[in-house]
Amino acid sequence: MSNLLFLDHSPDLSPIDLEIYKYIASHIDEVVYMRIRELAKETHSSTASILRFCRKFGCEGFSEFKIKLNLYRKSLAEPVTTHAVDETSFTNFIQRSTETFYQERIQAAAKLLSEKDLVLFIGTGSSNIIAEYGALYFSSIFSMAFHIEDPINHPVNFFNKSMAKNVCVIALSVSGENEAIINYLNHFITNDSSIISITNSEKSPIAALSDVNIPYYISTERIGDSDITSQVPALYTVEYLAKEVQKQKQDHS
C-alpha cells in the first residue's frame, strides 16, 4: 500500500483500521468536523479503535488527527502548478559538460567500456526509459548491449565469475538512492563486474558503488510524490559516452 493521507509511509493497519481508513479517505470533508463518537458510529467501531487508529498515524488523540487531516485536505485543494521549462539549467549543464571534471569522467567510463564485451543498462521509473534507449543506442557499438527491464525480479546469478568480469553495468538514477538498483549492483560487484553510474549527484550510494560515476547536477523537480526532474542530461550523457567509446575503439583498431 502507498502512503496514506498525511503520512509519508504506510502504517501497519488491522482489518478494523482499514475500514476506518476507507471511511475517512472517502469522507474527509465530513470527518474533520466530526466528534470521535460520531466517527465510531459511522465506521461500526469503538472510540478505543479510533484512538488506536490515530496513534498509528502519529497522533496522540482524535483532535490532533483532525488538525493534520484538515491540513492535508487543504493541501489537496491547492492547484498544482508546473513551471515552464528552465532552458538555463540545460545550457548550464552543456557548459559544464565541456569542463575538465565531466570530460575526465567520460574518458574514464569510455576506457572501461572499451575493455568489455557486454553492457547492461538498468534504471527504474523514468530512468528505465533512458536505460532502454541507452541499450538501443549502444547496440550499434557493442555486439551485446542489453536493457534489464525489471531489476527487482531479474536474476543475476546466471553469470559465472569469468563471464562477469567482461560485463559492465550502466546504472541510471536521478537520486542515486534506489534500493532495487543498489541491490542489483551488489550482485555484480561480488562477481567483479564493472559499474558505471549516471546520476544527478556523486554524493549518493549508487555513485559510491560505481567504478566511475558521471554526475550531471541539475535542479530537481517534484509534483507531490512524483519526481519530474529532467532526464535530458542523462540522455545527453548516454549519447556522449557512446560516441566516445566508439572513438576509442576506432583509435585502437
Side-chain angles (χ1 to χ4, degrees), residues 31-77:
V31 172
V32 293
Y33 298 109
M34 280 184 175
R35 291 176 294 184
I36 189 170
R37 291 185 182 278
E38 292 173 329
L39 181 58
K41 180 180 178 182
E42 292 294 335
T43 56
H44 307 289
S45 61
S46 64
T47 55
S49 295
I50 300 297
L51 289 173
R52 281 194 296 270
F53 177 87
C54 292
R55 284 193 286 270
K56 290 185 178 182
F57 278 74
C59 302
E60 290 298 322
F62 186 55
S63 295
E64 183 182 352
F65 178 84
K66 287 198 298 181
I67 291 171
K68 291 184 177 181
L69 183 66
N70 196 31
L71 291 173
Y72 172 73
R73 180 177 71 110
K74 290 178 179 179
S75 71
L76 293 178

Side-chain angles (χ1 to χ4, degrees), residues 122-128 149-153 171-186 197-199 203-207 209 227:
I122 60 172
T124 61
S126 57
S127 294
N128 189 41
E149 187 172 352
D150 185 7
I152 297 175
N153 299 312
L172 293 111
S173 173
V174 176
S175 69
E177 298 178 354
N178 186 280
E179 288 188 13
I181 301 297
I182 292 171
N183 292 335
Y184 199 81
L185 293 181
N186 279 325
S197 60
I198 301 173
T199 59
K203 305 296 184 182
S204 66
I206 290 177
L209 289 173
D227 189 336

Side-chain angles (χ1 to χ4, degrees), residues 154-169:
H154 194 93
V156 295
N157 54 5
F158 54 84
F159 286 105
N160 59 43
K161 200 86 170 180
S162 59
M163 182 179 181
K165 289 181 179 180
N166 294 318
V167 174
C168 183
V169 181

